[in-house]
Amino acid sequence: MTSRSIIDYVKSHPSGKVKIAYSDIDGILRGKYISTENFFSIVDGGSSFCDVIFGWDSSDVAYDNISYTGWHSGYPDAPARLDLNTFSVWGSFVE
């Protein structure tokens, strides 16, 4: 899908939301649903996510021996950009 067709698809979809996801340190997708309005506001700009995903294991238990992030840093937000090349339509939303 092109960027234009993705935007058109999201605009016309009745759910009013998009799921975005980031890969954690173990390669597990960690995601959340955002409103379509929020999606459109970050398509050309940027977003952020809590960098705790680089500091916990697959059971959501924080590692205690890493220096990148942790209680010592307060798990700050990390900058992120959407990659529309990874957009997919799946589940019950497929037409």
Side-chain angles (χ1 to χ4, degrees):
M1 294 178 82
T2 66
S3 295
R4 182 77 247 156
S5 64
I6 291 168
I7 290 168
D8 291 342
Y9 177 84
V10 171
K11 278 183 183 175
S12 66
H13 199 278
S15 73
K17 58 189 171 188
V18 176
K19 186 171 188 178
I20 60 172
Y22 305 98
S23 179
D24 74 7
I25 195 168
D26 296 310
I28 298 170
L29 282 179
R30 305 291 184 154
K32 64 181 179 178
Y33 286 97
I34 61 172
S35 69
T36 54
E37 293 82 15
N38 193 3
F39 173 78
F40 295 131
S41 74
I42 64 176
V43 164
D44 292 323
S47 184
S48 61
F49 65 95
C50 181
D51 76 359
V52 72
I53 68 171
F54 299 124
W56 62 15
D57 64 18
S58 60
S59 298
D60 300 340
V61 176
Y63 294 119
D64 60 2
N65 59 350
I66 60 172
S67 60
Y68 175 74
T69 192
W71 296 112
H72 65 282
S73 66
Y75 297 107
D77 281 349
R81 294 187 57 88
L82 292 180
D83 181 357
L84 293 184
N85 293 314
T86 64
F87 182 85
S88 64
V89 178
W90 44 292
S92 61
F93 296 115
V94 177
E95 298 174 340

